[in-house]
Amino acid sequence: MNEKEKQAPDSGEAGTASFGFRKVGAEAKQGLVNEVFASVAARYDQMNDLMSVGLHRLWKDDLVAMLHPPRGAQAFSVLDVAGGTGDIAQRIIRAAGSGTHVTVADISAEMIAEGRRRAGEERLASRIEFTVANAEALPFPDSTFDAYTIAFGVRNVTHIDAALGEAFRVLKPGGRFLCLEFSQVDVPGLKALYDLYSFTAIPAVGKVVTGDGAAYRYLVESIRTFPDAAHFAAMIEAAGFSRVSHRALTGNVVAIHSGWRV
Ligand SMILES: C[S@@+](CC[C@H](N)C(=O)[O-])C[C@H]1O[C@@H](n2cnc3c(N)ncnc32)[C@H](O)[C@@H]1O
């Protein structure tokens, strides 16, 4: 795969999409992604800790700190898309006051079931709602939410521009978009180490823990085919967002993107 292909976002216009390093029909990608998450749902959180050596917790806490939900009782509604097992939703609720409510939307019924179970266990079920939904066609009216978050989700979506358009539509004017996603590591020494770790250790550990090494190979490959932070920021602007910015974390391993619907 050449550099240009690696940077090409999945527009679906040419009828193809990246599924890791494979090009597949755009209509086939979502089914393949859904198989990945159905397969790993039960061990997903455990694998996140193992794969990121716990760093995903710090990155997610940074996202929640940037969201800065109100500490008081005033109403604040957050939509967490591709919210899977509800990890981001739980962190937001713990950081927020009693007026904050989170709706988790995820296309995978298996991930949503795991999220509902975990929220129940943590006694947070009354503050977090779970919905099976596609980021590209959200089942919510225009101007519904004060904030939209998406963590490690957008690179799995087939038509990213459609998902960004939906984010803009469901946000209230003045609402905030925040996206935590892997980025392209460009520090030479770190990149070599990161590649070695990603392409050897992660699928091997994934196979042992979830029984599905191929799922983790996809997850690693999908990071490399996702646009770099500058390119993704331009896509966010193209969806209509203002004051678009991004912050690199851990040597560009991940970035948090921010935009406002004004
Ligand atoms: C890597 S997980 C991230 C889960 C969670 N946000 C976290 O950070 O732990 C990616 C999630 O994206 C979901 N997903 C993939 N395609 C989606 C789509 N088109 N619409 C909504 N969710 C999608 C998957 O089902 C999966 O739960």
Side-chain angles (χ1 to χ4, degrees):
M1 171 168 295
N2 64 37
E3 281 308 309
K4 196 160 171 235
E5 282 170 322
K6 280 186 193 170
Q7 299 302 319
D10 289 341
S11 70
E13 278 159 19
T16 63
S18 301
F19 177 72
F21 289 164
R22 276 165 61 197
K23 281 282 174 206
V24 296
E27 71 301 333
K29 171 170 171 164
Q30 192 68 62
L32 293 165
V33 168
N34 294 353
E35 282 174 23
V36 165
F37 290 103
S39 158
V40 304
R43 310 304 281 277
Y44 177 76
D45 291 306
Q46 188 187 357
M47 265 306 287
N48 266 354
D49 272 331
L50 283 171
M51 278 190 320
S52 74
V53 287
L55 283 171
H56 77 109
R57 294 169 179 256
L58 305 180
W59 299 330
K60 287 172 175 171
D61 286 345
D62 275 351
L63 177 81
V64 175
M66 280 177 76
L67 177 66
H68 197 56
R71 309 266 164 176
Q74 71 260 44
F76 187 70
S77 61
V78 183
L79 176 64
D80 183 46
V81 173
T85 57
D87 201 19
I88 294 287
Q90 289 200 17
R91 285 168 198 277
I92 292 171
I93 292 296
R94 292 208 168 86
S98 60
T100 296
H101 184 273
V102 183
T103 301
V104 174
D106 193 291
I107 202 165
S108 165
E110 291 82 0
M111 293 290 276
I112 285 285
E114 195 59 27
R116 274 205 188 99
R117 188 189 63 71
R118 283 192 48 192
E121 258 176 27
E122 300 292 322
R123 299 183 187 283
L124 294 174
S126 63
R127 310 267 310 272
I128 307 175
E129 196 176 312
F130 288 87
T131 311
V132 176
N134 188 339
E136 296 180 22
L138 294 170
F140 308 109
D142 296 359
S143 307
T144 301
F145 298 98
D146 296 299
Y148 174 113
T149 54
I150 182 165
F152 304 123
V154 77
R155 74 180 195 281
N156 298 293
V157 170
T158 306
H159 303 102
I160 293 174
D161 47 357
L164 292 173
E166 281 292 86
F168 190 83
R169 181 185 69 75
V170 300
L171 274 172
K172 295 175 186 169
R176 185 154 197 201
F177 169 87
L178 281 171
C179 173
L180 170 62
E181 190 48 91
F182 287 100
S183 194
Q184 303 299 334
V185 173
D186 48 13
V187 182
L190 179 63
K191 184 171 175 4
L193 209 65
Y194 180 58
D195 279 349
L196 185 70
Y197 174 71
S198 303
F199 289 107
T200 54
I202 289 179
V205 175
K207 189 167 168 42
V208 172
V209 176
T210 69
D212 191 346
Y216 281 89
R217 201 164 310 114
Y218 157 73
L219 289 173
V220 169
E221 290 178 1
S222 66
I223 293 169
R224 299 308 194 276
T225 55
F226 189 68
D228 64 29
H231 192 143
F232 185 49
M235 294 173 76
I236 296 168
E237 262 169 2
F241 287 100
S242 301
R243 289 161 55 202
V244 172
S245 61
H246 62 273
R247 192 149 74 83
L249 303 176
T250 320
N252 242 2
V253 172
V254 299
I256 299 178
H257 291 262
S258 166
W260 296 83
R261 176 175 179 174
V262 294

